[in-house]
């Protein structure tokens, strides 16, 4: 067995000291060591987007990231979103029926929390382009696009 290395992992604002083998994926450490099972793992090849989390506020695939790379970085997972009530995008996903089985949903939420923060006025083509990085087997994508547009409109209203 490869020797473990102590790392300091900041997740959702909380610092965790964990001993990990250098080969361990961030997705596995989040789920198995920290119990943050909201991050889902689908393909483990960087294709499906189910494992999307934020690293320093930017979306990233946790299945393509080694946990030891996270020293000095801030990781945000789905567990941090909507802690004080649903976020505007979560609320819009609920209203527009943007999820069915929910397997893809945490990754989609993380992707669009960051996207909507940086793009207050997206058009449908842009949304579909971003959404192409997250696979969903259930919804046909249309309700998710509708939810992004609705959340963006609400956020613009709130900012006025
Ligand atoms: S599990 Fe990471 S992209 Fe599919
Ligand atoms: S809701 Fe089932 S995979 Fe997207």
């Amino acid at each position: 067995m490869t020797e473990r290395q102590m790392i300091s992992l900041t997740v959702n604002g909380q610092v965790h000291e964990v001993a990990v083998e250098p080969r361990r994926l961030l997705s596995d450490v989040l789920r198995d060591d920290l119990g943050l099972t909201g991050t889902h793992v689908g393909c483990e090849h960087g294709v499906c987007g189910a494992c999307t989390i934020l690293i320093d506020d930017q979306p990233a695939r946790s299945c393509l990231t080694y946990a030891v790379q996270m020293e000095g970085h801030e990781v945000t997972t789905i567990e941090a979103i909507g802690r004080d009530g649903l976020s505007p995008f979560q609320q819009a996903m609920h209203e527009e029926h943007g999820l069915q089985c929910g397997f893809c949903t945490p990754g989609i939420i993380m992707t669009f929390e960051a996207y909507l923060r940086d793009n207050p006025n997206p058009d449908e083509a842009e949304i579909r382009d971003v959404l192409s990085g997250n696979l969903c087997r259930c919804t046909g994508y249309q309700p998710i696009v509708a939810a992004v547009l609705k959340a963006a409109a609400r956020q613009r209203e709130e900012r006025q």
Side-chain angles (χ1 to χ4, degrees), residues 40-52 61-64:
H40 291 169
V41 174
C43 65
E44 288 192 281
H45 282 88
V47 176
C48 74
C51 68
T52 303
R61 308 291 210 220
S62 57
C63 77
L64 296 183

Side-chain angles (χ1 to χ4, degrees), residues 5-121:
Q5 193 174 319
M6 279 305 291
I7 59 166
S8 176
L9 202 53
T10 305
V11 183
N12 302 335
Q14 205 178 331
V15 180
H16 303 266
E17 305 292 333
V18 280
V20 294
E21 292 173 44
R23 66 176 179 84
R24 298 275 315 285
L25 299 173
L26 177 60
S27 49
D28 291 336
V29 171
L30 289 171
R31 289 177 55 85
D32 301 338
D33 297 45
L34 303 186
L36 297 170
T37 53
T39 298
H40 291 169
V41 174
C43 65
E44 288 192 281
H45 282 88
V47 176
C48 74
C51 68
T52 303
I53 44 94
L54 304 184
I55 299 174
D56 299 333
D57 292 329
Q58 297 303 320
R61 308 291 210 220
S62 57
C63 77
L64 296 183
T65 307
Y66 293 117
V68 292
Q69 292 176 286
M70 290 301 97
E71 279 272 2
H73 297 278
E74 298 264 346
V75 176
T76 308
T77 69
I78 187 66
E79 283 84 357
I81 309 297
R83 275 197 286 216
D84 305 317
L86 295 180
S87 73
F89 181 51
Q90 286 175 316
Q91 181 65 33
M93 283 282 276
H94 169 64
E95 291 170 12
E96 296 296 326
H97 307 288
L99 61 144
Q100 290 181 26
C101 79
F103 191 83
C104 68
T105 309
I108 287 176
I109 299 284
M110 299 314 286
T111 298
F112 282 101
E113 290 293 335
Y115 178 76
L116 286 165
R117 180 197 65 214
D118 298 338
N119 299 276
N121 199 7

